[in-house]
């Protein structure tokens, strides 16, 4: 039997919000785009709660976001995956990478990283390179740490993150990495993935033994997601996801990136900038039908 390709199996889509604030119009756009594509393709629509951040995510925000989605008329399959209930799955994936010596612990504080970057900039007379999100690339001090010393520091309980050794990871992946972007007509085109531009990304944070990148890849695979539909702000991060899928022998879904909604100042809507929430709009008397129309959905 021919192996099933993502296009042939029943499509599985997901909306994956983080309950760390109220949902805004950008989230509505993302959820509605997933719904529209799931309906058009006869696919399933899942909800995943991305709540690994135990400080910023709260049950109240989760309740509120589910209320907002229900008010919008969005219907997801009843079984909802909450990431905070599955840390064990991420630990397994992390262990696989660690066994292959693709991870190293890093004990540096933010200030130490910044000091190393500043020193490099002074020495070279050039600005330090940035990742696609505009954050400085990690200068790699932790990579040189002696294994015995590192283990002793971990055993002593010293806080640390786990970083992917990008060079080693890419050396393992012999051929060029790519993924496919699908469009509404069902066609797809191949896009090259360039994970090197992210440097040694953090795969397990200091506070929890996982990260957005690792959890999203593990969950998409465990939930059988075939089509990932997300905003353009996560397009570049897909390079990391494709690399992790290859390293962990997981399938790569098809991807589609929708445009972002901007505020009057041209900035993308964001919870941290207190963009007007769906709840605010509802309180001002906007109906769900009007909101759907405003975003181009009937
Ligand atoms: N949880 C992510 C967010 O709220 C989206 C996850 C994804 O689409 O990969 O931005």
């Amino acid at each position: 039997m021919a192996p099933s390709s993502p296009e042939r199996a029943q499509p599985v889509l997901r909306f994956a919000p983080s309950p760390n604030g109220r949902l805004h119009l950008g989230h509505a756009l993302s959820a509605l785009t997933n719904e529209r594509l799931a309906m058009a393709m006869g696919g399933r629509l899942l909800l995943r709660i991305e709540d690994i951040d135990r400080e910023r995510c709260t049950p109240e925000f989760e309740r509120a976001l589910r209320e907002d989605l229900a008010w919008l008329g969005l219907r997801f399959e009843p079984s909802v995956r909450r990431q905070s209930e599955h840390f064990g799955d991420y630990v397994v994936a992390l262990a696989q990478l660690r066994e292959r010596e693709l991870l190293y612990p890093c004990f540096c504080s933010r200030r130490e990283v910044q000091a190393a970057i500043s020193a490099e900039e002074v020495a070279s007379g050039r600005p330090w390179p940035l990742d696609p999100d505009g954050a400085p690339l990690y200068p790699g001090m932790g990579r040189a740490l002696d294994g015995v010393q590192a283990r002793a520091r971990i055993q002593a309980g010293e806080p640390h993150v786990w970083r992917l050794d990008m060079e080693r990871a890419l050396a393992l992946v012999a051929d060029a990495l790519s993924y496919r972007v699908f469009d509404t007509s069902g066609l797809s085109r191949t896009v090259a993935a360039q994970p090197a531009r992210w440097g040694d990304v953090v795969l397990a944070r200091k506070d929890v033994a996982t990260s957005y990148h690792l959890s999203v890849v593990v969950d998409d695979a465990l939930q059988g997601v075939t089509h990932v539909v997300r905003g353009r702000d996560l397009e570049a991060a897909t390079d990391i996801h494709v690399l992790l899928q290859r390293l962990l022998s997981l399938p790569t879904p098809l991807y589609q990136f929708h445009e972002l909604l901007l505020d009057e100042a041209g900035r993308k809507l964001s919870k941290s900038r207190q963009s007007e929430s769906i709840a605010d709009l509802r309180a001002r008397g906007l109906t769900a039908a009007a909101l759907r129309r405003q975003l181009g959905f009937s």
Side-chain angles (χ1 to χ4, degrees):
M1 207 168 70
S4 65
S5 72
E7 293 106 315
R8 256 182 241 139
Q10 186 189 15
V12 180
L13 290 86
R14 54 35 167 211
F15 176 57
S18 287
N20 56 9
R22 297 305 305 254
L23 296 187
H24 53 61
L25 280 179
H27 298 107
L29 175 69
S30 203
L32 290 167
T33 307
N34 270 286
E35 180 195 52
R36 177 154 70 190
L37 287 164
M39 278 168 74
M41 296 189 290
R44 299 165 53 200
L45 183 59
L46 311 179
L47 177 65
R48 181 163 78 226
I49 303 294
E50 301 212 328
D51 60 349
I52 59 167
D53 190 325
R54 304 314 296 140
E55 264 174 34
R56 294 172 59 221
C57 296
T58 67
E60 290 73 33
F61 281 137
E62 183 186 327
R63 242 191 321 275
L65 78 80
R66 290 174 77 159
E67 231 175 77
D68 289 342
L69 295 172
W71 174 79
L72 264 171
L74 282 150
R75 299 277 173 272
F76 299 93
E77 287 193 3
S79 96
V80 171
R81 184 172 169 94
R82 193 174 289 113
Q83 291 188 324
S84 58
E85 293 168 355
H86 298 278
F87 283 119
D89 291 332
Y90 315 131
V91 168
V92 169
L94 212 59
Q96 278 176 38
L97 298 172
R98 203 179 293 124
E99 269 157 32
R100 296 167 75 192
E101 301 191 350
L102 293 174
L103 301 182
Y104 62 89
C106 168
F107 303 87
C108 316
S109 66
R110 235 170 244 180
R111 188 179 296 177
E112 283 165 332
V113 171
Q114 193 44 57
I117 290 171
S118 304
E120 291 283 349
E121 286 187 323
V122 170
S124 70
R126 278 197 305 269
W128 186 252
L130 306 177
D131 72 18
D133 281 349
L137 288 182
Y138 174 67
M141 307 99 88
R143 219 183 290 140
L145 213 68
D146 166 78
V148 178
Q149 257 183 38
R151 269 192 294 280
R153 289 173 75 173
I154 292 171
Q155 254 152 35
E158 200 175 322
H160 58 282
V161 300
W162 286 92
R163 289 183 178 274
L164 179 69
D165 189 325
M166 185 58 81
E167 231 176 271
R168 269 183 196 235
L170 290 175
L172 274 187
V173 176
D175 50 334
L177 283 169
S178 65
Y179 62 95
R180 288 196 296 152
V181 172
F182 74 102
D183 65 26
T184 359
S185 61
L187 298 173
S188 62
R189 66 192 164 85
T190 302
V191 175
Q194 307 159 62
R197 58 186 171 149
W198 288 97
D200 291 357
V201 282
V202 170
L203 293 188
R205 302 159 28 148
K206 278 190 179 151
D207 56 338
V208 285
T210 187
S211 59
Y212 159 66
H213 298 305
L214 186 73
S215 313
V216 90
V217 161
V218 169
D219 285 353
D220 282 339
L222 285 176
Q223 293 190 287
V225 172
T226 58
H227 293 69
V228 172
V229 178
R230 50 161 67 139
R232 282 239 179 271
D233 51 342
L234 291 172
E235 185 171 8
T238 306
D239 293 358
I240 304 168
H241 303 167
V242 172
L243 172 61
L244 291 177
Q245 285 151 2
R246 180 70 75 85
L247 296 172
L248 295 165
S249 306
L250 301 174
T252 292
L254 295 166
Y255 288 89
Q256 185 176 124
F257 308 101
H258 60 74
E259 294 309 326
L260 300 175
L261 296 177
L262 304 178
D263 64 16
E264 300 84 47
R267 297 169 309 185
K268 77 169 186 166
L269 301 185
S270 118
K271 286 175 196 155
S272 52
R273 261 198 302 276
Q274 311 284 319
S275 296
E276 197 170 35
S277 68
I278 295 174
D280 295 335
L281 296 167
R282 192 163 70 212
R284 286 208 280 112
L286 192 75
T287 64
L291 190 151
R292 279 180 174 255
R293 268 196 308 278
Q294 184 184 331
L295 293 177
F297 299 82
S298 50

